Amino acid sequence: MVIGGKSIQPGQRCYVDLPLPPLYTHTSVAMPVHVIHGKQPGPVLFVTAAIHGDEINGIEIIRRLLATKSLSRLAGTLIAVPVVNVYGFVSQSRYLPDRRDLNRSFPGSETGSMAARLANTLMSEIVAKCTHGIDLHTAAEGRANFPQIRVDLDSHPELLPLAEAFAPPILVDSTTRDGTLRGAAGNLPLLLYEAGEALRFDDLAIRAGLKGVLNVMRHLKMLPANKSGERRGKPWLANNSAWMRAPQSGILRSRIRLGGIVEEGGVLGYISDPFGESEQAVISDASGVLIGITKLPLVHEGEALYHVATTESTKSAARAVHDFHLEYEQPVMKRLKY
């Protein structure tokens, strides 16, 4: 295994700095990469976080992953990149200094924009050397996402067992956007994990993400199976989703929590003008699960407020969400051991 010109031998664990374009202050910048090369052969899995520089939950997931004791028995190779967009992370921004979105710039090029060059570095030095990948994200600033895995099952039906192994409460079957890491990965099996909000640590989302990554590694036989043989709830598969938008401008008061079950025609919240002279309900035009929500109470007419993964019957969705909360909202002393 060679990354950044550095050779990592079987049984070796090392840290590699991938050089990136320096700042205009002549300050050096590097992408941190942690490589654990197992003694036994096996899959090569990359785990990336902070492609958007303000999405920091994934950084903590990777920190906890690298501290997991069972990695001493790793078969194959784990390549962890806790901060892909170093520039955005330093400035606490989603974007790069040129205001480009890195996750719309893949696969990139050696001679393109700053975003294109950074994307090319990740693709050539990391992704091209792997057999599987997991990309960790949160919602954009001012929004929050319920833990979910996004996959494009129309293009990659073979991803379903891998996504189910991660064991999120919800699988969202969504088409792949051009310019994303998921799109540039091509036929390489890649899971996209979404949970929490930007610039905030969400402990539930972090614990669920960590366990999900370890579940995938066990599924790929990179780690030994759990001796306890624990049973996991089956994720609910959503084939579509829709945003409910503000019918008027004003101050929003939500009446449903993230992960809540939504019924068509149900009230999601109320929008009032600042003086209380007018008020209008936000009505859902679909049934399903609330997988995304705005965290800002000040809204404009037409603004996306509630993201609903839709279904004709909410029974199986409610069961999956209930099982998830039952597993993760336990007393601290009863939390799962890794």
Side-chain angles (χ1 to χ4, degrees):
M1 176 65 62
V2 179
I3 295 179
K6 188 170 185 177
S7 179
I8 303 101
Q9 302 301 319
Q12 190 177 3
R13 180 171 181 159
C14 76
Y15 178 88
V16 179
D17 273 331
L18 291 180
L20 298 175
L23 302 181
Y24 52 71
T25 59
H26 202 60
T27 303
S28 298
V29 179
M31 184 190 301
V33 180
H34 200 112
V35 184
I36 305 176
H37 196 0
K39 294 180 181 179
Q40 303 299 322
V44 182
L45 171 71
F46 75 79
V47 183
T48 50
I51 280 182
H52 294 126
D54 59 356
E55 298 182 0
I56 63 175
N57 272 333
I59 300 172
E60 177 62 9
I61 291 172
I62 290 178
R63 187 195 68 79
R64 297 186 189 186
L65 173 64
L66 294 173
T68 304
K69 294 180 179 179
S70 59
L71 292 182
S72 61
R73 294 176 286 171
L74 178 70
T77 304
L78 172 65
I79 303 176
V81 189
V83 184
V84 176
N85 182 358
V86 182
Y87 306 97
F89 178 64
V90 170
S91 61
Q92 300 181 21
S93 168
R94 178 182 180 88
Y95 304 106
L96 288 154
D98 60 3
R99 298 300 297 167
R100 282 184 169 87
D101 185 332
L102 179 57
N103 211 30
R104 299 294 182 270
S105 304
F106 287 96
S109 70
E110 291 184 357
T111 58
S113 66
M114 178 184 244
R117 296 177 191 223
L118 180 51
N120 176 72
T121 296
L122 184 69
M123 291 297 297
S124 60
E125 288 285 358
I126 307 298
V127 178
K129 299 169 184 177
C130 294
T131 60
H132 300 78
I134 301 175
D135 190 23
L136 307 173
H137 285 262
T138 76
E141 187 175 6
R143 293 178 179 171
N145 282 338
F146 191 64
Q148 60 196 264
I149 285 288
R150 295 183 185 177
V151 287
D152 186 349
L153 294 179
D154 288 336
S155 300
H156 302 285
E158 72 282 358
L159 275 177
L160 183 58
L162 201 66
E164 290 180 335
F166 194 102
I170 296 172
L171 299 178
V172 181
D173 184 6
S174 61
T175 56
T176 305
R177 288 188 178 185
D178 292 338
T180 61
L181 175 59
R182 188 157 62 119
N187 292 325
L188 184 145
L190 173 63
L191 300 181
L192 172 64
Y193 177 63
E194 285 274 4
E197 57 184 303
L199 296 175
R200 298 287 185 274
F201 275 169
D202 182 324
D203 189 60
L204 183 143
I206 291 168
R207 288 188 287 117
L210 172 60
K211 189 180 179 189
V213 174
L214 293 172
N215 285 341
V216 169
M217 294 178 73
R218 294 186 183 104
H219 176 79
L220 295 174
K221 303 295 191 292
M222 297 178 71
L223 294 176
N226 267 340
K227 293 181 180 179
S228 61
E230 63 176 312
R231 297 180 63 184
R232 297 192 296 264
K234 188 176 179 62
W236 173 65
L237 176 61
N239 293 314
N240 202 0
S241 66
W243 279 97
M244 308 304 155
R245 298 183 177 274
Q248 70 174 46
S249 299
I251 299 173
L252 172 68
R253 306 190 316 279
S254 289
R255 288 292 179 265
I256 184 170
R257 72 170 186 166
L258 196 59
I261 301 302
V262 175
E263 298 294 346
E264 184 177 357
V267 176
L268 302 177
Y270 295 93
I271 300 175
S272 306
D273 72 86
F275 310 105
E277 295 180 354
S278 68
E279 181 173 272
Q280 192 167 353
V282 183
I283 305 297
S284 178
D285 56 19
S287 298
V289 179
L290 187 65
I291 61 170
I293 189 171
T294 182
K295 302 293 285 186
L296 302 177
L298 309 180
V299 302
H300 290 105
E301 183 177 336
E303 190 172 334
L305 305 180
Y306 303 98
H307 192 194
V308 178
T310 60
T311 179
E312 293 183 359
S313 172
T314 57
K315 186 176 181 180
S316 58
R319 186 184 306 115
V321 172
H322 175 267
D323 290 345
F324 175 78
H325 284 299
L326 195 65
E327 179 176 0
Y328 285 98
E329 293 182 355
Q330 301 179 46
V332 174
M333 296 303 295
K334 294 183 178 181
R335 285 180 181 171
L336 299 171
K337 298 179 181 179
Y338 297 103

